[in-house]
Amino acid sequence: MIRIISLLLTALFVLSACGAPTSGGIGADGQPLPKVYKIRNSQKADIQFRVLDSVNSLRSAAGAGPVQLNSELNAAAATHSRDMSVQNRPWHFGSDGSSPIDRAQRAGYQGAMLGENISETYETELETLAAWMDATGTREVIMDRRARDMGFSWYQDSSGKIWWTMLMGG
């Protein structure tokens, strides 16, 4: 009897290891499912300065001057990130038809608007920056030698998706 109970317990233990994975997983495309990168409100300054430092390192390595965070461009970026989430699509036009130039001016930015990078992703800010650096058009916005100011913000929706916006001005 003890032998049968031992075998049953061993079989249950082995079968319990065959269950579905509790985290990770593979999507229909065969790729790992995204892991939610949850951003807390207390991380805002850390994230903005981490991106600023990374951008300035990239710019320095390419011989371009540094940029600084600009509160007006940050505000315009935050507004657009939330608006993209409401529209449920990443694009450069606001739900009211506004362009990046319009949004920067509305936020009070007095400089020249040079470019905007956007992304809809579950990736971190540094993964997003790396993706922007891998694409010619978005890399040119980051590396524009005329840039002196940068705005960077995001909106994270209830699903965990992050809507990133970067603005460069000079």
Side-chain angles (χ1 to χ4, degrees):
M1 184 64 144
I2 294 176
R3 186 180 254 177
I4 293 173
I5 292 173
S6 295
L7 286 172
L8 286 173
L9 287 175
T10 302
L12 285 173
F13 177 74
V14 169
L15 288 174
S16 70
C18 295
T22 57
S23 64
I26 303 296
D29 60 358
Q31 298 298 313
L33 293 173
K35 294 178 184 169
V36 174
Y37 172 57
K38 185 65 179 156
I39 301 174
R40 295 182 309 274
N41 287 336
S42 62
Q43 294 176 289
K44 184 172 184 169
D46 291 341
I47 289 171
Q48 286 179 318
F49 283 106
R50 190 166 34 249
V51 170
L52 177 67
D53 290 344
S54 297
V55 165
N56 281 333
S57 292
L58 292 164
R59 290 174 60 84
S60 177
V67 294
Q68 62 184 358
L69 282 175
N70 177 277
S71 60
E72 290 91 5
L73 291 179
N74 284 342
T79 299
H80 190 55
S81 292
R82 181 176 289 273
D83 189 45
M84 286 189 297
S85 173
V86 169
Q87 296 180 71
N88 197 30
R89 63 178 171 180
W91 74 324
H92 295 284
F93 295 97
S95 56
D96 61 356
S98 62
S99 70
I101 295 169
D102 298 331
R103 292 188 298 276
Q105 288 174 345
R106 281 187 207 156
Y109 186 66
Q110 299 296 312
M113 184 66 218
L114 300 174
E116 176 182 70
N117 289 338
I118 57 172
S119 182
E120 164 201 22
T121 183
Y122 290 93
E123 295 177 333
T124 69
E125 65 278 3
L126 296 181
E127 289 170 319
T128 301
L129 178 59
W132 285 338
M133 288 300 291
D134 279 343
T136 303
T138 50
R139 181 178 53 250
E140 288 173 353
V141 169
I142 295 166
M143 303 306 286
D144 190 326
R145 291 179 181 272
R146 300 170 296 165
R148 300 290 173 259
D149 300 313
M150 181 181 91
F152 183 77
S153 196
W154 62 91
Y155 177 76
Q156 187 165 33
D157 66 27
S158 60
S159 75
K161 186 185 298 180
I162 307 168
W163 303 83
W164 301 103
T165 304
M166 174 188 280
L167 299 170
M168 294 297 229

